[in-house]
Coordinates of all heavy atoms in Angstrom, one line a residue:
A11 N 5.4 2.9 -8.8 CA 5.3 2.6 -7.4 C 3.8 2.3 -7.1 O 3.5 1.7 -6.1 CB 5.7 3.8 -6.5
L12 N 2.9 2.8 -8.0 CA 1.5 2.5 -7.8 C 0.9 1.6 -8.8 O 0.0 0.9 -8.5 CB 0.7 3.8 -7.9 CG 1.0 4.9 -6.8 CD1 0.5 6.2 -7.2 CD2 0.5 4.4 -5.5
L13 N 1.5 1.5 -10.0 CA 1.0 0.7 -11.1 C 2.1 0.3 -12.0 O 2.8 1.1 -12.6 CB 0.0 1.6 -11.8 CG -1.0 0.8 -12.7 CD1 -2.0 0.0 -11.9 CD2 -1.8 1.8 -13.6
E17 N -0.7 -2.8 -16.1 CA -1.6 -3.3 -15.0 C -2.9 -2.5 -15.0 O -2.9 -1.3 -15.3 CB -1.0 -3.2 -13.6 CG -0.1 -4.3 -13.3 CD 0.4 -4.2 -11.8 OE1 0.4 -3.1 -11.3 OE2 0.8 -5.2 -11.3
T20 N -6.6 -0.7 -10.5 CA -7.5 -1.2 -9.5 C -6.9 -0.8 -8.1 O -5.6 -0.6 -8.0 CB -7.7 -2.7 -9.5 OG1 -6.5 -3.4 -9.2 CG2 -8.3 -3.1 -10.9
A21 N -7.7 -0.7 -7.1 CA -7.3 -0.4 -5.8 C -6.3 -1.5 -5.3 O -5.3 -1.2 -4.6 CB -8.4 -0.2 -4.8
E22 N -6.6 -2.8 -5.6 CA -5.8 -3.9 -5.2 C -4.4 -3.8 -5.8 O -3.4 -4.0 -5.0 CB -6.5 -5.2 -5.6 CG -7.8 -5.5 -4.8 CD -9.0 -4.8 -5.4 OE1 -8.8 -4.1 -6.5 OE2 -10.0 -4.8 -4.7
N23 N -4.3 -3.5 -7.1 CA -3.0 -3.4 -7.7 C -2.2 -2.3 -7.1 O -1.0 -2.4 -6.8 CB -3.1 -3.2 -9.2 CG -3.5 -4.5 -9.9 OD1 -3.3 -5.6 -9.5 ND2 -4.1 -4.3 -11.1
Q24 N -2.8 -1.2 -6.9 CA -2.1 0.0 -6.3 C -1.6 -0.3 -4.9 O -0.5 0.0 -4.6 CB -3.0 1.2 -6.3 CG -3.3 1.7 -7.7 CD -4.2 2.9 -7.7 OE1 -3.8 4.0 -7.5 NE2 -5.5 2.7 -8.0
R25 N -2.4 -0.9 -4.1 CA -2.0 -1.2 -2.7 C -0.9 -2.2 -2.7 O 0.1 -2.1 -1.9 CB -3.2 -1.7 -1.9 CG -2.8 -2.0 -0.4 CD -3.9 -2.3 0.5 NE -4.7 -1.1 0.7 CZ -4.4 -0.2 1.7 NH1 -3.3 -0.3 2.4 NH2 -5.2 0.9 1.9
R26 N -0.9 -3.2 -3.5 CA 0.2 -4.2 -3.6 C 1.5 -3.6 -4.0 O 2.5 -3.8 -3.4 CB -0.2 -5.3 -4.6 CG 0.9 -6.4 -4.6 CD 0.6 -7.5 -5.6 NE 0.6 -7.0 -7.0 CZ -0.4 -6.8 -7.7 NH1 -1.7 -7.0 -7.3 NH2 -0.3 -6.3 -9.0
N27 N 1.4 -2.7 -5.0 CA 2.6 -2.0 -5.4 C 3.2 -1.0 -4.4 O 4.4 -0.9 -4.2 CB 2.4 -1.3 -6.7 CG 2.2 -2.3 -7.9 OD1 2.7 -3.3 -7.9 ND2 1.3 -1.9 -8.8
V28 N 2.3 -0.3 -3.7 CA 2.7 0.6 -2.7 C 3.3 -0.2 -1.5 O 4.3 0.3 -0.9 CB 1.5 1.5 -2.2 CG1 1.9 2.2 -0.9 CG2 1.1 2.5 -3.3
R29 N 2.8 -1.3 -1.2 CA 3.3 -2.1 -0.1 C 4.8 -2.5 -0.4 O 5.7 -2.4 0.5 CB 2.5 -3.4 0.1 CG 2.9 -4.3 1.3 CD 2.0 -5.4 1.5 NE 0.6 -5.0 1.7 CZ -0.4 -5.3 1.0 NH1 -0.3 -6.1 0.0 NH2 -1.6 -4.8 1.4
E30 N 5.1 -2.8 -1.7 CA 6.5 -3.1 -2.1 C 7.3 -1.8 -2.0 O 8.5 -1.8 -1.5 CB 6.5 -3.6 -3.5 CG 5.9 -5.0 -3.6 CD 5.8 -5.5 -5.1 OE1 6.3 -4.8 -5.9 OE2 5.2 -6.5 -5.3
A31 N 6.7 -0.7 -2.4 CA 7.5 0.6 -2.3 C 7.8 1.0 -0.9 O 8.9 1.5 -0.6 CB 6.6 1.7 -3.0
A32 N 6.8 0.7 0.0 CA 7.0 1.0 1.4 C 8.2 0.3 2.0 O 8.9 0.9 2.9 CB 5.7 0.8 2.2
M83 N -6.0 10.2 -1.7 CA -6.1 8.8 -1.9 C -4.8 8.1 -1.9 O -4.5 7.1 -1.1 CB -6.8 8.5 -3.2 CG -7.0 7.0 -3.5 SD -7.5 6.6 -5.2 CE -5.9 7.0 -6.1
I84 N -3.8 8.6 -2.7 CA -2.5 7.9 -2.8 C -1.7 8.1 -1.5 O -1.1 7.2 -1.0 CB -1.8 8.5 -4.0 CG1 -2.5 8.1 -5.3 CG2 -0.4 7.9 -4.1 CD1 -2.0 8.9 -6.5
Y86 N -2.9 8.4 1.4 CA -3.4 7.5 2.5 C -2.8 6.1 2.3 O -2.4 5.5 3.3 CB -5.0 7.4 2.3 CG -5.6 6.1 2.8 CD1 -5.6 5.8 4.1 CD2 -6.2 5.2 1.9 CE1 -6.2 4.6 4.6 CE2 -6.8 4.1 2.3 CZ -6.7 3.7 3.7 OH -7.3 2.6 4.1
I87 N -2.7 5.6 1.1 CA -2.2 4.2 0.9 C -0.7 4.2 1.3 O -0.3 3.3 2.0 CB -2.4 3.7 -0.5 CG1 -3.9 3.7 -0.9 CG2 -1.8 2.3 -0.7 CD1 -4.2 3.4 -2.3
I88 N 0.0 5.2 0.8 CA 1.5 5.2 1.1 C 1.7 5.3 2.6 O 2.5 4.6 3.3 CB 2.2 6.4 0.4 CG1 2.1 6.1 -1.1 CG2 3.6 6.5 0.9 CD1 2.7 7.3 -1.9
E89 N 0.9 6.2 3.3 CA 1.1 6.5 4.7 C 0.8 5.2 5.5 O 1.6 4.8 6.4 CB 0.1 7.5 5.1 CG 0.1 7.9 6.6 CD -0.9 9.0 7.0 OE1 -1.1 9.9 6.2 OE2 -1.5 8.9 8.1
Q90 N -0.3 4.5 5.2 CA -0.6 3.3 5.9 C 0.4 2.2 5.7 O 0.9 1.5 6.7 CB -2.0 2.8 5.5 CG -2.6 1.7 6.3 CD -4.0 1.4 5.9 OE1 -4.2 0.8 4.9 NE2 -5.0 1.9 6.7
E91 N 0.8 2.0 4.4 CA 1.8 0.9 4.2 C 3.2 1.2 4.7 O 3.9 0.3 5.2 CB 1.8 0.6 2.7 CG 0.6 0.0 2.1 CD 0.2 -1.3 2.7 OE1 1.1 -2.0 3.3 OE2 -1.0 -1.7 2.7
L92 N 3.5 2.5 4.7 CA 4.8 2.8 5.3 C 4.8 2.7 6.8 O 5.8 2.2 7.4 CB 5.2 4.3 4.9 CG 6.6 4.8 5.3 CD1 7.7 3.8 4.8 CD2 6.8 6.2 4.7
N94 N 3.1 0.5 8.4 CA 3.1 -0.9 8.6 C 4.6 -1.4 8.4 O 5.1 -2.2 9.2 CB 2.2 -1.7 7.7 CG 0.7 -1.4 8.0 OD1 0.4 -1.1 9.1 ND2 -0.1 -1.6 7.0

Side-chain angles (χ1 to χ4, degrees):
L12 296 167
L13 198 69
E17 280 186 336
T20 65
E22 292 79 10
N23 284 338
Q24 292 179 78
R25 180 170 289 278
R26 183 184 65 254
N27 292 326
V28 169
R29 186 174 298 124
E30 295 174 4
M83 177 193 74
I84 297 168
Y86 154 67
I87 301 173
I88 295 174
E89 179 179 326
Q90 190 174 77
E91 293 299 336
L92 186 52
N94 290 339

